[in-house]
mmCIF file of all heavy atoms in Angstrom:
data_model
loop_
_atom_site.group_PDB
_atom_site.id
_atom_site.type_symbol
_atom_site.label_atom_id
_atom_site.label_comp_id
_atom_site.label_asym_id
_atom_site.label_seq_id
_atom_site.Cartn_x
_atom_site.Cartn_y
_atom_site.Cartn_z
ATOM 1 N N CYS A 89 25.181 91.517 84.498
ATOM 2 C CA CYS A 89 25.064 91.724 85.943
ATOM 3 C C CYS A 89 26.011 92.805 86.444
ATOM 4 O O CYS A 89 26.329 92.862 87.637
ATOM 5 C CB CYS A 89 25.315 90.408 86.688
ATOM 6 S SG CYS A 89 24.184 89.099 86.212
ATOM 7 N N GLN A 122 18.345 92.077 111.818
ATOM 8 C CA GLN A 122 18.045 90.818 112.498
ATOM 9 C C GLN A 122 17.205 89.854 111.666
ATOM 10 O O GLN A 122 16.833 88.786 112.156
ATOM 11 C CB GLN A 122 17.348 91.064 113.840
ATOM 12 C CG GLN A 122 17.938 92.189 114.685
ATOM 13 C CD GLN A 122 19.431 92.030 114.943
ATOM 14 O OE1 GLN A 122 19.900 90.935 115.206
ATOM 15 N NE2 GLN A 122 20.177 93.109 114.871
ATOM 16 N N LYS A 131 19.609 84.030 97.086
ATOM 17 C CA LYS A 131 20.150 83.075 96.116
ATOM 18 C C LYS A 131 20.183 83.666 94.707
ATOM 19 O O LYS A 131 21.132 83.441 93.953
ATOM 20 C CB LYS A 131 19.339 81.781 96.135
ATOM 21 C CG LYS A 131 19.634 80.905 97.349
ATOM 22 C CD LYS A 131 18.870 79.590 97.305
ATOM 23 C CE LYS A 131 19.309 78.670 98.447
ATOM 24 N NZ LYS A 131 18.550 77.410 98.473
ATOM 25 N N ASN A 190 38.731 99.565 109.054
ATOM 26 C CA ASN A 190 38.399 98.198 108.680
ATOM 27 C C ASN A 190 36.913 97.953 108.890
ATOM 28 O O ASN A 190 36.384 98.177 109.970
ATOM 29 C CB ASN A 190 39.204 97.205 109.525
ATOM 30 C CG ASN A 190 40.693 97.324 109.264
ATOM 31 O OD1 ASN A 190 41.117 97.499 108.134
ATOM 32 N ND2 ASN A 190 41.489 97.233 110.317
ATOM 33 N N ARG A 256 32.510 74.355 119.323
ATOM 34 C CA ARG A 256 31.151 74.370 118.801
ATOM 35 C C ARG A 256 30.977 75.509 117.801
ATOM 36 O O ARG A 256 31.705 76.495 117.821
ATOM 37 C CB ARG A 256 30.154 74.523 119.942
ATOM 38 C CG ARG A 256 30.098 73.321 120.883
ATOM 39 C CD ARG A 256 29.047 73.525 121.943
ATOM 40 N NE ARG A 256 29.310 74.710 122.761
ATOM 41 C CZ ARG A 256 28.504 75.143 123.715
ATOM 42 N NH1 ARG A 256 27.359 74.521 123.944
ATOM 43 N NH2 ARG A 256 28.825 76.209 124.417
#
Side-chain angles (χ1 to χ4, degrees):
C89 301
Q122 317 306 319
K131 285 183 173 178
N190 296 320
R256 293 183 300 177

